[in-house]
Amino acid sequence: MTETTEQYAEDVVITRQKVYRRATGTHGPWQEFPASAAKGGIPTDRLPQYVRLMLGHSASVRQDREAMRVSARLTPKDVESVDRTVGRNLRPATTIDAEAWIDNDGRVVRVRQKIHFASDPDIEATITFTDFKDAMPVNAPAGP
């Protein structure tokens, strides 16, 4: 998976116990985090529930070229109902403009959030999922 913000992109490997990240295009060491503590603003392990949450909050749904796009405005408390850790991480935000793209196979292939704050600049984050395969065991990425 590749996760991007406006000025930074990183490669991310997510397992049940650990999350590994490093800047896209680099060959340096991977940063390792416990999966429970490494969650940011998008509940990556609960994407179907996240899309259902959006649909329950007057979501806009439209068909793009190859994917259905769902968008809604959420609050951190809304997100907390899907993922407590992510919702808590988002508590300083006032609202979250969330978008999800679902492909013809029913898979969430992209999620974008624009996170709004009362006094700080907005943060925009996008995660794009590619190369879907059957579930397989993953070991820690190799170092440099």
Side-chain angles (χ1 to χ4, degrees):
M1 151 177 92
T2 300
E3 182 175 10
T4 59
T5 62
E6 188 174 319
Q7 301 157 345
Y8 180 77
E10 61 184 16
D11 295 317
V12 181
V13 175
I14 300 173
T15 69
R16 290 184 191 273
Q17 290 82 26
K18 303 275 185 172
V19 174
Y20 304 91
R21 333 177 138 211
R22 73 176 173 193
T24 297
T26 66
H27 299 287
W30 291 82
Q31 292 180 310
E32 177 182 313
F33 302 92
S36 62
K39 295 189 179 196
I42 298 175
T44 55
D45 60 344
R46 294 182 176 88
L47 291 176
Q49 296 93 322
Y50 189 63
V51 172
R52 281 194 291 277
L53 172 70
M54 292 166 61
L55 290 169
H57 283 78
S58 303
S60 163
V61 179
R62 69 177 207 243
Q63 187 71 37
D64 284 346
R65 281 180 256 150
E66 297 177 11
M68 181 181 305
R69 183 175 163 197
V70 178
S71 56
R73 179 163 276 190
L74 305 171
T75 67
K77 189 153 186 76
D78 297 331
V79 176
E80 197 169 335
S81 71
V82 172
D83 188 305
R84 178 175 274 158
T85 302
V86 171
R88 286 180 181 164
N89 289 344
L90 290 170
R91 281 188 183 164
T94 55
T95 57
I96 301 105
D97 291 328
E99 298 175 287
W101 286 259
I102 302 154
D103 71 6
N104 292 330
D105 293 322
R107 299 178 298 216
V108 177
V109 295
R110 178 184 290 161
V111 177
R112 179 181 303 149
Q113 289 182 331
K114 190 166 191 176
I115 305 167
H116 305 281
F117 300 90
S119 58
D120 292 321
D122 293 346
I123 296 174
E124 188 170 321
T126 303
I127 295 179
T128 303
F129 299 93
T130 60
D131 299 326
F132 291 93
K133 297 177 177 70
D134 293 332
M136 57 187 242
V138 175
N139 294 321

